[in-house]
Amino acid sequence: MASISIGTIAELTSAKVVCGNKGKSCLVEKAFSSDLMSDVLRLESENLLLITGLANLQAVRTAEMADISYILFVRGKQATPEMVALAKENGITILETGYSLYKTSGILYSAGLKPVF
Amino acid sequence: MNLEYTFKVEGGNFSKAGVASSDVKKVLKKLNVGPKTIRRIVVSLYEAEINIIAHAYRGEILVKISENKVETTLKDSGPGIEDINKAMEEGYSTASPEVREMGFGAGMGLSNMNKNTDKLEITSEVGVGTTVKLMNWI
């Protein structure tokens, strides 16, 4: 299955890696775009990138519970120091881009990142 | 093996949401429980924890871990649930706009808890509170 490195995802979306692993070995196969954590908690996929504009502590907690290792915050939303600390504690990589949810999803979909469904 | 943990939950305090679920996840990891089973247990617990914060005034979580199962009881003081069958329906929610702004309150929590537990029991008394029991084999 095709997979994309976090470094490439950051490059394609002009995103900044705020914390976590950005090495070429950090590979992601699928992504899910949502601001609704209730929907994120229903997913069963692993090795997933969560693309969201919901920049609060619950987005990071949701990722922790759902075994999601990568979060990309869109629309210029920034992770607070508390969110970064929680992400680091759980080995979660956080990226931030100024692009919209639609643009970010479109770019990554075109690059071969698969949808969950 | 018989481990017990209790957690206090404060209604409305989203900054602490997930603390109990996070601690339970760490314990289950140490016990070498399979990742898929851990995920089911902590997702259902997290949903239940969020429900106390979103709807109740306060609550208590008791987690019992034994050789072959994890049993969690979440007891809250709150408004209770008028119609549990209706609350189980996907999309039905009484959550406030504040809860929705946090990314929850879409009416998916109870059905997701049902999906991720081997046994789910909900009892509630209007004006008194709700007790949720979650059980998963490990």
Side-chain angles (χ1 to χ4, degrees), chain A residues 35-46 54 56-58 61-67 82 89-90, chain B residues 14-15 17-19 21-22 25-26 39 42-43 46-47 90 101-106 108 111-112 115:
Chain A
D35 284 357
L36 189 62
M37 295 304 114
S38 304
D39 279 348
V40 177
L41 284 168
R42 296 173 73 86
L43 302 175
E44 284 168 14
S45 303
E46 286 160 17
L54 188 87
N56 64 23
L57 203 54
Q58 293 323 309
R61 276 284 184 218
T62 298
E64 179 194 354
M65 299 312 154
D67 288 334
E82 208 183 358
E89 191 190 318
N90 291 288
Chain B
F14 269 97
S15 68
V19 170
S21 313
S22 181
K25 184 172 185 178
K26 289 183 182 92
R39 195 173 186 280
V42 300
V43 164
Y46 184 53
E47 293 269 21
E90 287 187 3
E101 272 168 27
M102 300 302 294
F104 298 98
M108 312 294 265
S111 69
N112 200 27
K115 184 179 135 195

Side-chain angles (χ1 to χ4, degrees), chain B residues 25-98:
Chain B
K25 184 172 185 178
K26 289 183 182 92
V27 171
L28 294 174
K29 262 189 180 172
K30 270 192 196 154
L31 294 172
N32 286 320
V33 175
K36 285 206 165 98
T37 305
I38 293 182
R39 195 173 186 280
R40 293 186 73 216
I41 293 168
V42 300
V43 164
S44 53
L45 174 54
Y46 184 53
E47 293 269 21
E49 202 181 342
I50 291 284
N51 275 348
I52 297 182
I53 293 160
H55 299 283
Y57 315 128
R58 72 196 72 81
E60 194 171 87
I61 303 175
L62 172 64
V63 184
K64 287 185 188 177
I65 304 171
S66 62
E67 287 296 334
N68 60 352
K69 64 183 172 182
V70 177
E71 286 175 295
T72 307
T73 305
L74 302 99
K75 193 173 164 49
D76 73 47
S77 305
I81 305 169
E82 225 164 272
D83 185 341
I84 292 173
N85 287 332
K86 191 141 185 75
M88 292 294 291
E89 281 175 19
E90 287 187 3
Y92 179 81
S93 176
T94 58
S96 66
E98 289 76 20

Side-chain angles (χ1 to χ4, degrees), chain A residues 11-55:
Chain A
E11 250 172 59
L12 289 170
T13 58
S14 302
K16 182 175 124 191
V17 181
V18 180
C19 70
N21 204 331
K22 54 184 159 185
K24 292 271 179 221
S25 61
C26 242
L27 297 172
V28 185
E29 288 171 2
K30 291 179 180 177
F32 187 72
S33 302
S34 178
D35 284 357
L36 189 62
M37 295 304 114
S38 304
D39 279 348
V40 177
L41 284 168
R42 296 173 73 86
L43 302 175
E44 284 168 14
S45 303
E46 286 160 17
N47 215 13
L48 188 75
L49 172 74
L50 169 63
I51 307 170
T52 183
L54 188 87

